[in-house]
Amino acid sequence: MNALRLLLATMVVVSHSWQLGGYGPQPQVGGVALGTWSVCGFFVISGYLITRSRLSGRPAIEFYWARFLRIFPAFIVCLLVIAFVAAPLSTAIGPGQYSLVDAIGYVYHNLFLYPPVYGQQSIGDTLNTVPFANNWDGPLWTLFYEAACYVFIGIFVSVIRRRYLATSLTISFIVVTIAASAFYSRSLAVNELVVIAAPLLVAFLAGGVVYLCGNHINAGPVMVVLAIAALALATASGFAVTLAPLPLAFLIVKLGNVLPLQKVGSRYDISYGIYIYGCVVQQLLALIFPGGAISVWAFVSLSILITVPLAFLSSALIEKPALTLKTRVPQLREPAAAPA
């Protein structure tokens, strides 16, 4: 799974290169942007792994604490790097003006995982001249919904009895898929944030369903062929973002079990770092090479080459040390007094 997440994070960087570098729209597969497929894959994997984690038998507070440590420390450091390193550096490259007050506001407004309404995307006019203006780190928008899914599955497992869990989650998945498809087709008038968020929940639930129902699924060649056919049909239907997650979840989990890549990311998982720093690097590259001064594949290559060391530092210095605190769960109440 670490290898697949690394591939998906790299695909996000590759896909965004066209838009951020000014080379045109993102590459598409079946009418859906490559970056969108990657995000769907991320949420599928999260649904599978996080559902498994929640059902590990540990107390709920340990689950939430572990999830907090996995996302939040590296996210906060990324915000600080953008506000106090990348943004000032951009003014030495381009014509923008840096504002310390705006930089502090950037960190403050985005503290809660880039909230969709309250979040701040840019710092002054540091990115006014790039093709994708005034947005320092676009991929961060998904983290708020990722955390919301963590909370959802945490509460879901707490309130549903274990023997009804697979059935209840499957029914929830079906209901959310139908609703998300209606939102996506504009059959129901809802807020745009709902239209954006619903497919992410579908993908997350698809991963959870595959985990809970895995013992009842024959994962042989026939099932693989059926899953590929279902994925192709979902893509051809024009509703890939809402109908593709379930067969995609099955295929990703199948690949995770058969690919001999267990050592990839076993010591340093850099997929999260690539995801959160890729756009930052690409915005700086867009300032250095304006107007497509280099080929798109040179832009892609430079983006990956510069992002990988940053991702490694994030993994080695922030993410791994933070995860060592998983056993130190914050106390929610005072310990009982020892008897005399």
Side-chain angles (χ1 to χ4, degrees), residues 1-26:
M1 288 300 187
N2 286 338
L4 292 174
R5 284 193 296 200
L6 179 60
L7 173 64
L8 292 170
T10 305
M11 284 171 55
V12 170
V13 174
V14 172
S15 183
H16 287 174
S17 295
W18 270 260
Q19 190 174 17
L20 295 175
Y23 301 100
Q26 297 184 50

Side-chain angles (χ1 to χ4, degrees), residues 163-185:
R163 57 180 166 175
Y164 302 128
L165 202 56
T167 302
S168 300
L169 195 68
T170 301
I171 293 173
S172 300
F173 166 75
I174 293 171
V175 171
V176 172
T177 299
I178 293 171
S181 298
F183 301 155
Y184 188 72
S185 67

Side-chain angles (χ1 to χ4, degrees), residues 119-282:
Q120 178 180 326
Q121 296 183 330
S122 190
I123 298 171
D125 60 356
T126 52
L127 291 178
N128 276 5
T129 60
V130 296
F132 194 70
N134 299 319
N135 194 325
W136 264 108
D137 206 347
L140 294 187
W141 73 269
T142 63
L143 297 184
F144 179 87
Y145 299 104
E146 176 95 356
C149 288
Y150 294 170
V151 174
F152 171 84
I153 200 65
I155 295 173
F156 195 88
V157 171
S158 295
V159 300
I160 303 295
R161 290 187 177 183
R162 184 67 64 96
R163 57 180 166 175
Y164 302 128
L165 202 56
T167 302
S168 300
L169 195 68
T170 301
I171 293 173
S172 300
F173 166 75
I174 293 171
V175 171
V176 172
T177 299
I178 293 171
S181 298
F183 301 155
Y184 188 72
S185 67
R186 309 294 175 170
S187 299
L188 294 176
V190 294
N191 187 281
E192 188 65 24
L193 290 176
V194 177
V195 177
I196 294 172
L200 302 181
L201 180 57
V202 172
F204 187 88
L205 291 177
V209 167
V210 169
Y211 174 74
L212 288 173
C213 301
N215 291 334
H216 307 288
I217 298 175
N218 180 359
V222 173
M223 195 64 184
V224 170
V225 171
L226 289 175
I228 293 173
L231 183 61
L233 288 173
T235 303
S237 72
F239 286 85
V241 294
T242 58
L243 299 182
L246 186 60
L248 183 64
F250 171 82
L251 293 170
I252 284 177
V253 173
K254 179 66 176 179
L255 284 173
N257 280 288
V258 300
L259 292 177
L261 301 172
Q262 289 83 359
K263 292 185 178 180
V264 176
S266 59
R267 187 173 181 185
Y268 295 104
D269 180 7
I270 65 171
S271 57
Y272 184 42
I274 287 179
Y275 188 75
I276 61 177
Y277 283 103
C279 183
V280 182
V281 169
Q282 289 177 306

Side-chain angles (χ1 to χ4, degrees), residues 291-316:
I294 57 176
S295 72
V296 63
W297 289 111
F299 190 91
V300 169
S301 300
L302 283 173
S303 299
I304 295 173
L305 286 173
I306 298 172
T307 302
V308 166
L310 294 175
F312 174 79
L313 291 174
S314 177
S315 176

